[in-house]
Amino acid sequence: MTMTESISQTTARRLALHAQLLDGRTPLARGKEGVAQAVGHLGYVQIDTISVIERAHHHTLWARVPGYDAEHLHQALARSMGDVPDGV
C-alpha cells in the first residue's frame, strides 16, 4: 500500500527557503567563517566566471552571510586547500 502525504505551497516555499539559507532563520557567522558555514551547508557554490554586476557565486554568499566580502571566499578556499594556516 502506498501512502501519499502533501504539504501546502506555503509550507513547501518556507522549507525551500530555509534549506537554501534564504529565510534568515539560520544564524551564520560573519565573514570567512560564515562563508565556510554556508558552503558546508549548501554542499557547494558554483564558481561563475561571467560577471555582469558581480559574479553569481558572490551573490549566492552575499545573500546568506552577514558582512560577506569576496575576499572571504578566496581565503576560505585557500584554507580548505591547505594553502593558508587556520589562524589567517
Side-chain angles (χ1 to χ4, degrees):
M1 183 170 143
T2 303
M3 282 183 71
T4 303
E5 293 187 37
S6 62
I7 59 174
S8 69
Q9 284 184 335
T10 301
T11 299
R13 185 177 300 111
R14 202 172 309 145
L15 287 170
L17 290 173
H18 180 68
Q20 292 298 313
L21 302 176
L22 292 170
D23 65 353
R25 291 184 5 206
T26 303
L28 296 175
R30 296 182 70 80
K32 62 184 175 182
E33 292 304 318
V35 170
Q37 290 173 335
V39 173
H41 175 86
L42 296 172
Y44 73 96
V45 175
Q46 180 175 328
I47 302 298
D48 181 10
T49 59
I50 298 172
S51 176
V52 177
I53 295 174
E54 184 58 84
R55 292 183 172 173
H57 52 281
H58 295 303
H59 287 285
T60 299
L61 294 168
W62 176 84
R64 293 164 172 84
V65 179
Y68 175 73
D69 183 280
E71 187 58 31
H72 298 147
L73 178 59
H74 300 296
Q75 292 169 354
L77 181 58
R79 185 172 16 150
S80 73
M81 296 178 72
D83 295 341
V84 176
D86 283 343
V88 177

